[in-house]
Amino acid sequence: MLERTRVAIIGAGPAGLLLSHLLHRHGIESVVLDSRTREQIETTIRAGILEQGTVEVLAGTGASDRVLTVGQKHEGIELRFGGEGHRVDFADMVGRAVWLYPQHEVLKDLIATRLAAGQDLRFGVTAERVEDAGTTRPRVLARDADGNVSEIEADVVVGADGSRGVTREAVAGTRGGYFREYPFAWFGILCEAPPSADELIYSNSPDGFALISQRSPTVQRMYFQCAPDTDPGAYSEDRLWEILQARVPGTTLREGRVFQRDVLRFRSFVTHEMRRGRVVLVGDAAHTVPPTGAKGMNLAVADVVLLTEALRALLLDKDGRLFDAFPETAQDRIWKAQHFSWWMTSMLHLQPGAAAFDRRRQLGELRTVVESGAGRAYLAEAYTGWPLPGREAILGY
Ligand code: DHB
């Protein structure tokens, strides 16, 4: 069966759902497909930090009210190294903040908002191919769990289907992208315990990196650097606490039952092509960052804010200039976020085989940052998020 819509969005993650929401505010109809079930989407554990601009877009457009009521505002982080903690005060440095509000909560809010607005949102439907990318009538061929095939023709197809989705291939073919792999990963846990600190602690210790994050008054999220091939079941709970505790000297961690463990891969990637004809990529489908600094979802939101304006101009005003320029415009922030994520990663992690020189140089770099107003301001500006071009248009609508 051939169906028609204005924008076919592949992927019901933060990028795809937010895009459908912002398009709806302009009266532009879309269909959103995702191979996963609603439950899978709403329970997958991801990062927890939202830039100020992300929060303004979510709250200011009615996508999520809970981000302001349930989310917690954080006005600084601590960098810990050489046995001491050094606070980077965001409010003082740049007058901005971040919010701790887990990505799956953002997804729950977005799904509820979209369904309440009558969005055509199809779970368990897998996009198998994108065809006719080079024409003004691109098509998505999809299949549901029962094997029923559908074909959706649109003015524009948006790939918000992550790094393993089919859209990247339809846009970039085998041309691939810029790629960097890192010789370590993060071991992440969720545990039942009260917070061990008021703010997040990013710790560079002689044994490797650790991050003490939070979720709620009773649940905490923590990570430590591990080898990329680590088996999540490899450590006993006692051993996990021993490793984590050793990496944050000066803080006594409040321990509790560990009820979730995962190992996160570290990669940097930017596709060579973000658009082919009327098919365009956003979020992880176009780029991946390592998790240090929590830029992944925030970067997806920034792509979507830009793309919304471009699609509004293309589809409502018949002006394709912003759409044609989208890849070029989006690249500015993508590479700034790539740099920041790489920089935080390289400054805080122990490189396997690092010589004594490398270790001391790294501590010198950390001192340069925390002992300089300019250094702390740079970190604060990047962490809380650079200005979002297109934000005024989105919020003012
Ligand atoms: C979290 C994840 C990050 O990558 C980060 O830099 C900060 C916090 C988190 O999951 O809480």
Side-chain angles (χ1 to χ4, degrees), residues 48-68:
I49 290 288
L50 306 182
E51 292 175 2
Q52 179 159 329
T54 299
V55 170
E56 285 165 1
V57 169
L58 291 174
T61 64
S64 164
D65 302 324
R66 288 170 69 240
V67 63
L68 291 177

Side-chain angles (χ1 to χ4, degrees), residues 46-49 186 200 202 211 213 215 221 223 291-294 383:
R46 303 293 287 271
I49 290 288
W186 275 4
L200 271 57
Y202 287 80
L211 169 58
S213 185
R215 283 296 177 264
R221 180 77 162 145
Y223 303 95
T292 331
Y383 196 96

Side-chain angles (χ1 to χ4, degrees), residues 239-260:
R239 182 73 191 124
L240 288 175
W241 286 114
E242 218 170 75
I243 296 173
L244 276 162
Q245 183 59 75
R247 292 190 188 188
V248 280
T251 293
T252 305
L253 293 179
R254 307 190 58 180
E255 302 178 6
R257 188 176 75 87
V258 174
F259 62 90
Q260 152 92 27

Side-chain angles (χ1 to χ4, degrees), residues 207-230:
D207 296 337
F209 174 74
L211 169 58
I212 309 304
S213 185
Q214 309 167 0
R215 283 296 177 264
S216 73
T218 53
V219 172
Q220 311 309 319
R221 180 77 162 145
M222 302 182 192
Y223 303 95
F224 64 86
Q225 174 184 350
C226 65
D229 56 359
T230 304

